[in-house]
Amino acid sequence: MERDFHHPYEPYDIQKQFMNAVYDCLEDGKVGVFESPTGTGKSLSLICGSLTWLRDHKRRTFEEGFAADASYSDEPAWILEHARKQKKQAALHRREEFEARIAKIKEKEKRLKEAYQKGEPKFKRQKTFSSGVDVADGETDFVLDDYESDEDAVSRRTAKSFNESGLSAENQTMMEKLGKTLKKDEEIEIPDESKIFFCSRTHSQLTQFSSELQRVQMPPSITPDSPSKQSNDQLVEEVKHLTLGSRKNLCINPKVNKLNNATAINERCLELQQPGTSSECKCPFMPNKDKQTLVNEFRDHALASIRDIEDLGSLGSKLGICPYYASRPATKYCEIVTLPYPLLLQKSAREALDLSLKDHIVIIDEAHNLMDAIAGIYSVSVTLEQMLQARMQVTVYLQKFRNRLKGKNRVYVAQTVRLLDSIIVYLQTKHADPKATDGLVDMGALMSGKGVDQINIYKLNMYLQESRLARKVDGYTTYVEQKQGDLTGGPKIVSKRGARQTVPVLTHVQSFLVSLMNPSAEGRFFYSKEETAGIILKYMLLDPTFHFKDIVEEARAVVLAGGTMSPMSDYEQHLLSYLEPSRIMTLSCGHVIPPSNLLAVPVVRTLSGHEFDFTFEKRNSEQMLIDLGHTILAVAQHIPDGVVVFFPSYSYLDTCIAAWKRLRLNSSASTSVIWDALLRVKPIFLEQRSQSESMEKDPVNKEAAVDSVLSAYSSAVTLGNGRGALLFAVIGGTLSEGINFSDSLGRGVVVVGLPFPNPHSAEWKAKTQYISSKATSNGQDGKAAARDFYENACMRAVNQCVGRAIRHKNDYAAILMVDRRYGGQRIQAKLPGWIRSSLTNDAAGVRKLEGQERGTYTSVAQTEEANAELTVHGKELENGSLPTFSAHDVDTPTPEDFATLPKVADNLPYGAFLVAIVELCERFAYYGLSGPFQNYMSNRYNDPNGLPGALGLAQTGATALSNFFQFWCYVTPILGAIVADQYLGKYLTIKYFSMVYMVGIFILFVTSLPFSIERGGAFPGLIAAMIIIGLGTGGIKSNVSPLIAEQVRTTKPFVKHLRGGKRVIVDPEVTVQRVYMICKVPLSTAGLHFLYMCINIGSISAIATTTLELHVGFWSAYLLPLLMFCVGYFVLVSGKKRYVIKPPQGGVIGNCFKALWIAARNRFDLDQAKPSLQRPGRAAYKISWDDKFVDELKTSLIACKVFLFFPIYWVTYSQMMNNFVSQAGQMQLHGLPNDILPNIDPITIILMIPLLDRFIYPFIRTRLHLAFTPATRITWGFLIASLAMSYAAILQSRIYAAGPCYSHPLHCDAGKLAEDKYSPNEVHVAWQTPAYILIALSEILASITGLELAYAKAPQNMKSFIMSLFLLTSAGGSALGILIAPSARDPHLVWLYAGLAAAAAAAGGLFHWTFRGVEGEAPRVVESAEEGIELVGRKSVEDDDV
């Protein structure tokens, strides 16, 4: 008879097959390994199959139990029947009472919901716990409690356990002595009946399971004898479900859950339960005698409806009871308990939750990575740095408390030190050995320290757990750091907030010590060297059998289910090898789609007929990369919508992209490179690299990165009218598991190669050796078993990728597996059954793929590709948007024209001014923020001298921090350049980094409000804002100027006839020069009055902010730049259609370094990197560039040499942003803010740039015929900067010569006006003006010219990177400023300025001597037009050669 599984829908045949298999497995008490492809309703099938069995089992158990009792009774049949009915009625009555309570709860929740919707007030809120921090004072709290015996430790550990009531053992004992009982009279003892433990990887997956569970309605397990008396409610019995979580998920104590770390939360929770803890410090949410009613109420609410983990936490908060502990007794009433992997698979976690699996059902979903999950739970690692830090902390602790440690405390702490020393010596030995990169640990050597062989690791570990030594040591270390910070007056932000904010390092070490007790047969110890963490000591579990065996032997039945469980042999041979084959069930279901909806093809041959061989030795060959690119191009041309390509590793994906950006489809020079050909077919999106960022991964950021790529890819596919997109991902990466590529998002899935792990690593050597020896001991072929295990690990990852495409019954896709090895039977046998059924009989080649018509891979007709112009980087230029001139308007200039005609700049397109507004706003914000910085940092809040301030760091500290901010702002452009040149392009980089910039300003604004300053939030807010703003600056600064320059669409000089008949040369070099003047201080030279108004607003930003700072407050000074930046961001985004947006070139930076490496190997001859010099018969290099690239690189290196001198200039320039402001504070201000004078610099630039651009530079070029080269302008810039510093030194000497305080301004009794208030020296602040004017002139000559030189000399595809290198010189200047900051104090400032003047003058002279011949001869008069023609002609030839 066919079973009724009460499926909410009409199940597919494969679902019926799956549910029957689950039922039979549970009934027979077996272990099932079941595979049901994603999209076939696996979750519902598991629910219906298991719950149907559970209800049937309860019914049979009841009937059979009574029948067994009757068989041993001599009573008459009618009495037995009456007894049976009474027993059944009693069971029904218990269930009805319980259901009635739950019904009341549901009705109450319904009324509350309706009241909330009507806007009625809620019930009274439960009194919540204060979130104040109760940090214990004094050193006594860090002394270890007496530890007399190991038996006492066991009893103490037992005393902390909780029974099903949630009460501690102490409370239970006390109540028993008083003769009290825990159960109320109306409470009914419910036996611990069979239930289902459903386990999955994450709480999000469990939440999805809970939502599916709500769809199911099951009949009751026990029904009344008279069916006619059944009501509708009695026809259905609600499923009793509860989800369990860790303390991290369920803790509602604000003092504890803010720790954010699971280990820290666990330990803090247990600390609050210590017997000696005062009642005020104990957790107020912990269940106890007085809260038994709340525990019962929590249970009834929790079981009244299907709730996920967040709902359970909210319920606990509402009731004021700990959901972690209150949920324990509720499990007895459940039918289904859901919990994540760690809580089920880890024995200690099950014991902590008091979970018994005896005779219960265990279902593990997403079990394809079960063995890896078990290995990960029981594997542990520790670094040498952590060991040294733990040793140092224990040493400090011992030095303080040595005489106060008694008994076994002294013994065990000494053992801990000896064990640490032994491990440290071993790791240091391996670290010093350059040949030892990784390998197995010699346990004898590891434990060879003095006295270590006498240590009982088990007892030592028990001591560490019970004594809480790690917390004591960490708490004392933090206490000492805070105390030292208070004594030195250092900012407290440097110290930790408390001992329990992070996991103590000794806890990491303690976790590793636990692994020392594991049996040597099931795991190995390794050491390895890593770049980020140094040398690491690791314990890796090789055999998960022993840890999973406890679950299998205790449970009635176990079901392992997943979408891609193939190949299943691993589970039988390595996880369940101790079971008889008859106890293991396997099932691989087909898919719900018809066979015509899936095409699976092993692509084994290339276009030329050779085999695809992606083994490590052959996959990097140039021909293989070309063939792979051609294959993906063919696939993209024939498959509509989205195509996902999975590569075997991130490194190989990078290799392919770099190669495709330089290699062509064939040898013809007219064909495009492979990358451009792919982009013409579909836009390309790349998976964000998630490995190697850090050892501690941030899951929030990781998910955000995945969502960003997926949303962009989805939008391109959805809006592409069938054109779709290409998504390049990595097998085993963030996109290969748990991502839905349904319908048009995954019409094609291409798997490139086989992702075999490195067999030569120490870990895989140990794994294969272990598998081989284990198989050999069982009489099997050890070598074949190891090979099979190795291949299975690879194929599980592949199967996860190919399972991403088909997600429902009407879906369809093509799966292409590109590698000759996919044509072999052994590999194909490891594919899921539903893929094997659609696998083509013969392996295909690329020509066969190209022969297919578009859409023949699928059975459903698709829309043809539209003529879409969308690319991943934005829209292409509209037709006709490029500047064109008729024949009578322009012509090519002759050498005579170059010598006689004036050179002018081209008209800048409107888009250039829109982008310039962003730079204007960024500079407005930057100078508007940094203008008040010196006062904000240097002076105290409510300074008696009347100067505005907040932090009180004094001039030295403020100068150093100001230099750090400038340093950071000019280091980050390197990052911005790399992101723009290789990944996003300039426009998108500016857009996203602008958002980051605004976040930083907002933080600065909030933390500068008076209440934030008064509460100590100003300093951390300033540091955070500086870091975030600097990051935003990096993305904007290195890309705005090149983006504006890219709007200039003329690349060659031409002669233009003006309306009056005058002929001029429109010179791109002059245009770029003007662009950079605009970028430095945006200026319209074409009568754009609106932009000129914007310029004046930008130039007075610091005037406005410093005035606001003085008269309103710092918060208003920082709010104004934020508002201005929002305007600039709106202009940037809204004007996108007007921009020329070029895609990132990618790989260029790597090519530059490779070319330099070739030059270094050939006596620094860069010409040896040219392709033309790669001759047969000599050592040749694999290169991907042409001769022109090398010549451009030479030119860019000249610019980089120029950059080496600029740090000296920037350290002089930066004085106006810090020390000049402090200098003004020593002078008579006459009501002006002391930080308003730096605005003289931008005002001077605004006035001087038109003069230089329109009159002085043209006069030098056309009238004086002087070759006023960039090198000459930079030299003059250095000299004028030296002059500015000389003037500042003279002015400082005048300040020291004036009263009342002379060489100690604002710090003398003669000038004291009141408490902490002094009169400044008698020098007018206006005397600073010449210094600012000289700085401005030097900036125009040096800084702007440096920008121009950086852009002009950079290769076309590295503009942002070379620009960022120039900006990096400013970071160098800031670093020098930090070094000299200690000398920025009275009475030594004269020598500081004089030294800077001498350094700038020396740098200028050395610069001129070094580069006097690079840009041509020194400035001189050109005597005749013929000489000018000769010079220009020679220059033109040189330009053509380059």
Side-chain angles (χ1 to χ4, degrees):
M1 185 179 69
E2 185 176 351
R3 296 188 181 106
D4 182 7
F5 289 102
H6 309 285
H7 198 284
Y9 310 106
E10 180 61 33
Y12 303 125
D13 289 339
I14 64 168
Q15 288 179 316
K16 294 178 181 178
Q17 180 187 10
F18 190 89
M19 289 185 291
N20 276 299
V22 170
Y23 192 102
D24 292 338
C25 178
L26 304 187
E27 179 67 20
D28 298 336
K30 295 184 177 181
V31 177
V33 183
F34 300 148
E35 179 180 66
S36 182
T38 305
T40 58
K42 170 170 57 69
S43 297
L44 269 178
S45 298
L46 282 171
I47 292 171
C48 294
S50 58
L51 273 179
T52 300
W53 175 85
L54 184 64
R55 294 287 169 91
D56 289 349
H57 175 71
K58 286 183 177 181
R59 189 180 306 112
R60 288 196 304 268
T61 301
F62 178 81
E63 299 292 345
E64 292 172 359
F66 185 81
D69 293 339
S71 64
Y72 292 101
S73 176
D74 296 331
E75 299 291 338
W78 65 271
I79 294 179
L80 293 176
E81 179 63 20
H82 180 72
R84 188 190 69 82
K85 288 183 178 181
Q86 280 189 326
K87 186 175 180 181
K88 190 171 187 178
Q89 289 299 323
L92 287 172
H93 181 68
R94 288 196 301 267
R95 195 193 79 191
E96 288 172 358
E97 282 189 342
F98 189 65
E99 294 288 345
R101 289 205 306 270
I102 291 180
K104 289 180 181 178
I105 293 292
K106 286 186 175 181
E107 184 62 29
K108 181 180 178 181
E109 291 181 346
K110 181 180 179 182
R111 290 196 304 268
L112 289 174
K113 182 178 180 181
E114 292 174 351
Y116 174 78
Q117 292 174 345
K118 293 178 181 178
E120 297 177 10
K122 280 187 171 183
F123 50 79
K124 288 186 178 181
R125 293 179 59 88
Q126 191 80 18
K127 184 178 180 181
T128 56
F129 187 44
S130 173
S131 60
V133 180
D134 58 337
V135 179
D137 297 326
E139 300 172 350
T140 306
D141 300 294
F142 306 114
V143 181
L144 290 169
D145 298 329
D146 289 341
Y147 189 86
E148 297 301 335
S149 68
D150 303 314
E151 289 75 14
D152 290 342
V154 175
S155 63
R156 282 196 300 271
R157 183 171 69 243
T158 306
K160 287 183 290 186
S161 63
F162 286 77
N163 72 347
E164 65 274 6
S165 68
L167 302 181
S168 65
E170 307 95 76
N171 289 335
Q172 298 164 30
T173 304
M174 183 181 298
M175 293 179 68
E176 289 173 0
K177 289 181 180 179
L178 295 174
K180 300 292 184 180
T181 178
L182 300 181
K183 287 186 288 186
K184 294 184 178 180
D185 294 337
E186 66 271 21
E187 288 298 320
I188 304 166
E189 180 66 26
I190 301 294
D192 191 14
E193 298 178 341
S194 296
K195 57 178 60 66
I196 300 168
F197 289 94
F198 183 91
C199 176
S200 192
R201 286 184 305 139
T202 63
H203 278 295
S204 61
Q205 291 172 332
L206 294 177
T207 300
Q208 295 175 5
F209 177 85
S210 300
S211 64
E212 295 290 337
L213 188 59
Q214 293 175 347
R215 304 174 188 268
V216 179
Q217 291 185 329
M218 285 283 168
S221 55
I222 304 176
T223 56
D225 291 333
S226 302
S228 59
K229 295 181 180 180
Q230 295 185 43
S231 64
N232 290 333
D233 292 338
Q234 290 174 324
L235 294 175
V236 175
E237 181 182 347
E238 296 291 342
V239 178
K240 308 302 184 298
H241 162 266
L242 185 71
T243 185
L244 296 180
S246 63
R247 288 183 177 89
K248 187 176 187 296
N249 299 115
L250 293 175
C251 179
I252 59 173
N253 188 330
K255 292 172 61 179
V256 179
N257 62 23
K258 70 179 181 180
L259 299 178
N260 293 326
N261 182 278
T263 305
I265 291 174
N266 288 340
E267 295 198 1
R268 181 56 176 152
C269 178
L270 294 176
E271 281 183 12
L272 295 179
Q273 301 173 43
Q274 291 290 326
T277 307
S278 64
S279 58
E280 294 80 9
C281 296
K282 284 188 176 182
C283 179
F285 305 105
M286 183 65 65
N288 54 33
K289 172 190 172 183
D290 298 329
K291 296 183 179 180
Q292 182 62 35
T293 303
L294 283 179
V295 173
N296 294 335
E297 188 176 357
F298 176 90
R299 176 201 63 198
D300 294 343
H301 277 83
L303 299 178
S305 60
I306 307 296
R307 301 178 187 268
D308 59 21
I309 193 70
E310 293 181 357
D311 297 332
L312 215 59
S314 301
L315 176 62
S317 298
K318 185 171 71 173
L319 297 178
I321 193 73
C322 174
Y324 176 75
Y325 283 109
S327 59
R328 294 184 183 187
T331 57
K332 181 183 293 187
Y333 300 84
C334 291
E335 292 177 297
I336 293 187
V337 178
T338 55
L339 66 171
Y341 271 9
L343 297 187
L344 179 75
L345 300 179
Q346 197 166 9
K347 187 175 182 179
S348 60
R350 296 198 304 272
E351 292 174 348
L353 292 172
D354 197 22
L355 287 184
S356 172
L357 304 181
K358 185 66 175 176
D359 296 329
H360 296 307
I361 304 302
V362 174
I363 299 178
I364 301 179
D365 195 15
E366 300 295 332
H368 60 272
N369 58 0
L370 175 61
M371 289 184 288
D372 293 335
I374 297 173
I377 288 173
Y378 288 96
S379 299
V380 66
S381 64
V382 64
T383 66
L384 174 59
E385 182 182 358
Q386 289 173 333
M387 299 296 296
L388 290 171
Q389 187 178 355
R391 178 65 171 86
M392 179 271 295
Q393 290 183 355
V394 174
T395 302
V396 173
Y397 183 82
L398 275 177
Q399 289 174 350
K400 181 64 181 178
F401 299 106
R402 181 185 302 274
N403 296 330
R404 301 173 70 175
L405 296 180
K406 299 179 181 180
K408 292 199 173 182
N409 277 330
R410 182 188 296 271
V411 173
Y412 282 124
V413 173
Q415 289 182 0
T416 304
V417 172
R418 288 202 297 270
L419 191 57
L420 289 175
D421 287 341
S422 181
I423 298 175
I424 288 172
V425 169
Y426 179 83
L427 289 179
Q428 288 176 336
T429 302
K430 293 297 181 183
H431 187 65
D433 186 358
K435 297 181 180 180
T437 57
D438 67 348
L440 283 171
V441 171
D442 182 356
M443 295 305 296
L446 183 70
M447 309 294 286
S448 63
K450 182 180 178 181
V452 175
D453 57 338
Q454 303 296 322
I455 297 176
N456 186 321
I457 301 296
Y458 175 79
K459 289 186 177 181
L460 177 60
N461 179 66
M462 182 184 297
Y463 168 79
L464 292 175
Q465 290 179 348
E466 300 302 328
S467 67
R468 319 201 71 76
L469 176 65
R471 280 291 168 193
K472 297 285 186 180
V473 170
D474 184 71
Y476 178 70
T477 303
T478 304
Y479 171 77
V480 171
E481 290 175 355
Q482 292 176 337
K483 189 174 181 180
Q484 290 176 348
D486 293 339
L487 293 176
T488 58
K492 292 186 178 181
I493 192 65
V494 177
S495 300
K496 300 177 185 176
R497 293 185 181 180
R500 302 178 181 91
Q501 287 297 322
T502 57
V503 181
V505 66
L506 195 57
T507 301
H508 291 289
V509 178
Q510 179 181 334
S511 301
F512 180 79
L513 296 183
V514 175
S515 65
L516 293 175
M517 298 186 297
N518 292 341
S520 59
E522 65 183 44
R524 296 289 187 275
F525 289 88
F526 302 90
Y527 67 87
S528 64
K529 293 180 181 178
E530 298 184 6
E531 293 182 3
T532 56
I535 188 165
I536 301 178
L537 186 61
K538 297 184 286 187
Y539 171 78
M540 186 178 70
L541 183 70
L542 297 179
D543 192 348
T545 302
F546 305 105
H547 295 280
F548 193 64
K549 186 177 182 181
D550 294 340
I551 296 175
V552 174
E553 291 183 342
E554 192 174 354
R556 172 191 173 94
V558 177
V559 173
L560 309 181
T564 51
M565 297 295 289
S566 298
M568 295 185 181
S569 59
D570 274 1
Y571 303 97
E572 301 174 20
Q573 298 172 7
H574 305 297
L575 187 65
L576 307 168
S577 57
Y578 55 90
L579 291 178
E580 294 292 333
S582 59
R583 276 209 63 194
I584 302 175
M585 289 181 61
T586 59
L587 173 68
S588 180
C589 294
H591 217 296
V592 294
I593 60 171
S596 58
N597 279 27
L598 176 65
L599 177 69
V601 182
V603 183
V604 301
R605 290 187 300 277
T606 68
L607 179 67
S608 59
H610 297 96
E611 288 187 330
F612 272 120
D613 189 350
F614 289 101
T615 56
F616 188 78
E617 295 78 12
K618 298 182 180 180
R619 67 183 185 181
N620 290 323
S621 68
E622 193 167 283
Q623 188 58 47
M624 188 66 65
L625 293 169
I626 293 174
D627 289 336
L628 177 60
H630 204 305
T631 301
I632 295 176
L633 179 63
V635 170
Q637 289 171 336
H638 289 82
I639 298 182
D641 298 318
V643 176
V644 186
V645 184
F646 287 101
F647 291 80
S649 66
Y650 285 104
S651 61
Y652 191 63
L653 173 59
D654 295 339
T655 299
C656 291
I657 292 175
W660 292 341
K661 288 182 177 180
R662 62 179 175 81
L663 298 174
R664 302 182 184 276
L665 290 170
N666 53 52
S667 57
S668 174
S670 61
T671 59
S672 61
V673 296
I674 298 173
W675 185 260
D676 292 341
L678 290 171
L679 281 175
R680 282 196 295 270
V681 178
K682 295 178 187 289
I684 300 175
F685 298 86
L686 303 177
E687 175 183 343
Q688 298 294 314
R689 186 187 296 265
S690 62
Q691 281 92 342
S692 73
E693 293 297 330
S694 64
M695 292 188 68
E696 299 290 336
K697 296 179 177 62
D698 186 352
V700 177
N701 293 339
K702 182 178 177 181
E703 291 179 8
V706 172
D707 291 342
S708 175
V709 175
L710 282 179
S711 60
Y713 171 72
S714 302
S715 298
V717 172
T718 305
L719 303 176
N721 292 326
R723 183 190 184 197
L726 277 169
L727 177 61
F728 289 170
V730 173
I731 302 172
T734 54
L735 298 179
S736 65
E737 187 173 344
I739 304 299
N740 183 356
F741 290 119
S742 63
D743 299 320
S744 59
L745 295 183
R747 290 296 178 223
V749 173
V750 181
V751 182
V752 178
L754 287 161
F756 284 110
N758 181 10
H760 303 295
S761 67
E763 295 181 7
W764 267 100
K765 282 182 180 178
K767 281 184 179 181
T768 53
Q769 289 173 3
Y770 178 82
I771 297 298
S772 178
S773 61
K774 183 178 178 181
T776 303
S777 64
N778 294 332
Q780 301 172 351
D781 186 347
K783 186 175 181 181
R787 182 192 64 192
D788 198 45
F789 180 81
Y790 184 63
E791 290 178 348
N792 290 349
C794 167
M795 290 306 297
R796 273 197 299 272
V798 172
N799 293 340
Q800 275 297 112
C801 297
V802 297
R804 301 297 96 209
I806 304 295
R807 309 295 290 191
H808 57 81
K809 183 178 180 180
N810 298 319
D811 207 352
Y812 56 92
I815 297 175
L816 307 179
M817 295 162 284
V818 185
D819 196 301
R820 63 173 178 80
R821 292 169 289 183
Y822 284 114
Q825 289 298 320
R826 194 173 71 247
I827 294 296
Q828 290 184 2
K830 298 179 187 295
L831 292 169
W834 63 276
I835 293 181
R836 291 200 305 271
S837 62
S838 298
L839 199 65
T840 55
N841 294 328
D842 58 331
V846 179
R847 291 207 177 275
K848 183 175 180 179
L849 295 178
E850 288 191 309
Q852 301 286 340
E853 291 297 328
R854 177 183 175 86
T856 57
Y857 288 126
T858 59
S859 60
V860 181
Q862 291 294 296
T863 57
E864 291 297 322
E865 178 180 352
N867 293 323
E869 295 296 331
L870 180 68
T871 70
V872 71
H873 305 291
K875 292 185 177 180
E876 299 291 344
L877 293 174
E878 298 176 0
N879 293 334
S881 62
L882 290 174
T884 57
F885 303 95
S886 59
H888 68 275
D889 289 328
V890 300
D891 51 30
T892 303
T894 63
E896 183 177 357
D897 292 332
F898 275 112
T900 58
L901 297 181
K903 295 179 181 179
V904 299
D906 196 5
N907 294 326
L908 299 182
Y910 187 60
F913 291 104
L914 292 179
V915 180
I917 290 177
V918 179
E919 173 72 354
L920 181 150
C921 293
E922 191 275 333
R923 291 293 89 185
F924 183 101
Y926 180 83
Y927 288 112
L929 296 171
S930 56
F933 267 0
Q934 189 74 2
N935 280 341
Y936 189 73
M937 296 182 291
S938 178
N939 303 323
R940 291 178 295 173
Y941 189 54
N942 295 327
D943 188 83
N945 291 313
L947 297 175
L951 301 181
L953 300 180
Q955 181 177 350
T956 301
T959 302
L961 200 55
S962 174
N963 279 310
F964 162 75
F965 177 59
Q966 294 179 42
F967 171 81
W968 174 242
C969 285
Y970 290 102
V971 166
T972 53
I974 292 287
L975 173 64
I978 294 175
V979 171
D981 280 342
Q982 294 197 231
Y983 300 105
L984 296 181
K986 298 177 182 65
Y987 170 76
L988 287 179
T989 303
I990 295 171
K991 177 181 175 181
Y992 294 140
F993 278 77
S994 294
M995 297 168 65
V996 173
Y997 202 118
M998 288 187 287
V999 170
I1001 304 177
F1002 180 76
I1003 292 174
L1004 185 62
F1005 159 67
V1006 171
T1007 56
S1008 64
L1009 292 167
F1011 77 87
S1012 294
I1013 298 176
E1014 292 167 358
R1015 288 164 176 77
F1019 185 77
L1022 176 66
I1023 297 299
M1026 281 182 168
I1027 292 173
I1028 297 174
I1029 290 172
L1031 191 63
T1033 300
I1036 298 172
K1037 191 69 179 174
S1038 61
N1039 293 299
V1040 166
S1041 299
L1043 183 60
I1044 294 177
E1046 287 178 356
Q1047 310 307 304
V1048 180
R1049 296 159 186 170
T1050 53
T1051 58
K1052 294 290 184 180
F1054 62 89
V1055 177
K1056 184 176 182 180
H1057 300 264
L1058 303 180
R1059 291 183 179 179
K1062 183 179 179 181
R1063 299 171 69 240
V1064 294
I1065 295 178
V1066 178
D1067 190 349
E1069 185 177 340
V1070 178
T1071 305
V1072 171
Q1073 179 180 326
R1074 175 165 295 175
V1075 164
Y1076 282 101
M1077 287 189 173
I1078 290 174
C1079 293
K1080 190 64 183 178
V1081 178
L1083 179 64
S1084 169
T1085 57
L1088 296 177
H1089 301 291
F1090 171 75
L1091 187 58
Y1092 192 77
M1093 180 181 67
C1094 291
I1095 297 160
N1096 285 275
I1097 295 175
S1099 67
I1100 63 173
S1101 65
I1103 297 177
T1105 55
T1106 51
T1107 303
L1108 288 170
E1109 157 210 346
L1110 178 65
H1111 298 290
V1112 181
F1114 285 103
W1115 63 269
S1116 61
Y1118 298 143
L1119 177 61
L1120 180 63
L1122 176 61
L1123 298 176
M1124 187 65 179
F1125 205 99
C1126 292
V1127 173
Y1129 183 78
F1130 173 78
V1131 172
L1132 173 73
V1133 175
S1134 60
K1136 179 182 177 182
K1137 294 182 179 180
R1138 297 179 177 269
Y1139 306 145
V1140 176
I1141 300 177
K1142 296 181 180 180
Q1145 302 300 312
V1148 177
I1149 298 172
N1151 287 343
C1152 289
F1153 286 115
K1154 186 175 181 180
L1156 293 173
W1157 177 79
I1158 294 174
R1161 295 196 61 182
N1162 291 274
R1163 298 181 179 179
F1164 297 96
D1165 183 4
L1166 198 55
D1167 287 333
Q1168 298 300 319
K1170 291 183 176 180
S1172 59
L1173 295 182
Q1174 308 302 308
R1175 298 281 186 264
R1178 55 170 290 181
Y1181 300 96
K1182 293 182 179 179
I1183 58 179
S1184 57
W1185 53 80
D1186 52 18
D1187 287 1
K1188 183 179 179 181
F1189 174 83
V1190 177
D1191 292 330
E1192 288 179 336
L1193 183 58
K1194 283 183 179 180
T1195 307
S1196 64
L1197 288 178
I1198 295 174
C1200 293
K1201 293 177 182 177
V1202 172
F1203 298 165
L1204 295 176
F1205 291 85
F1206 268 85
I1208 300 297
Y1209 170 78
W1210 290 121
V1211 75
T1212 61
Y1213 170 84
S1214 65
Q1215 300 307 304
M1216 75 169 185
M1217 302 300 296
N1218 40 58
N1219 284 327
F1220 278 18
V1221 175
S1222 298
Q1223 185 186 63
Q1226 302 172 351
M1227 305 166 72
Q1228 296 290 334
L1229 295 174
H1230 300 283
L1232 291 174
N1234 66 314
D1235 49 5
I1236 198 172
L1237 267 71
N1239 295 282
I1240 296 174
D1241 175 81
I1243 293 174
T1244 302
I1245 293 175
I1246 288 175
L1247 297 175
M1248 291 301 300
I1249 280 182
L1251 294 175
L1252 291 169
D1253 186 40
R1254 290 295 187 179
F1255 302 105
I1256 298 177
Y1257 285 165
F1259 179 80
I1260 293 174
R1261 285 194 302 263
T1262 60
R1263 302 294 183 183
L1264 300 180
H1265 298 287
L1266 284 175
F1268 199 47
T1269 63
T1272 304
R1273 296 201 298 271
I1274 292 173
T1275 300
W1276 277 102
F1278 273 85
L1279 296 178
I1280 295 176
S1282 173
L1283 187 60
M1285 292 299 102
S1286 300
Y1287 179 84
I1290 295 171
L1291 180 59
Q1292 189 67 47
S1293 65
R1294 282 201 57 194
I1295 294 173
Y1296 287 163
C1301 291
Y1302 300 99
S1303 60
H1304 292 83
L1306 303 177
H1307 290 88
C1308 69
D1309 294 336
K1312 189 171 185 178
L1313 301 177
E1315 185 65 29
D1316 293 331
K1317 185 175 182 180
Y1318 299 89
S1319 173
N1321 288 8
E1322 298 293 336
V1323 180
H1324 199 289
V1325 74
W1327 284 104
Q1328 273 197 326
T1329 303
Y1332 286 108
I1333 294 176
L1334 291 172
I1335 286 287
L1337 289 174
S1338 73
E1339 187 177 357
I1340 295 172
L1341 293 171
S1343 175
I1344 296 179
T1345 307
L1347 285 170
E1348 173 192 340
L1349 189 65
Y1351 187 86
K1353 300 302 182 184
Q1356 182 62 35
N1357 47 8
M1358 307 185 54
K1359 298 294 186 184
S1360 293
F1361 183 69
I1362 297 298
M1363 185 71 60
S1364 66
L1365 290 180
F1366 173 73
L1367 298 176
L1368 187 63
T1369 62
S1370 183
S1374 299
L1376 293 175
I1378 295 173
L1379 293 177
I1380 65 173
S1383 62
R1385 55 190 176 89
D1386 299 315
H1388 308 299
L1389 289 170
V1390 173
W1391 293 108
L1392 173 67
Y1393 295 131
L1396 291 173
L1406 185 60
F1407 178 88
H1408 181 71
W1409 181 83
T1410 303
F1411 297 102
R1412 65 188 184 278
V1414 173
E1415 292 284 349
E1417 298 178 3
R1420 62 181 180 85
V1421 177
V1422 181
E1423 299 296 342
S1424 63
E1426 289 76 11
E1427 185 179 358
I1429 293 171
E1430 180 182 353
L1431 289 174
V1432 175
R1434 186 166 65 242
K1435 177 75 163 56
S1436 300
V1437 171
E1438 292 172 354
D1439 290 342
D1440 292 339
D1441 290 341
V1442 173

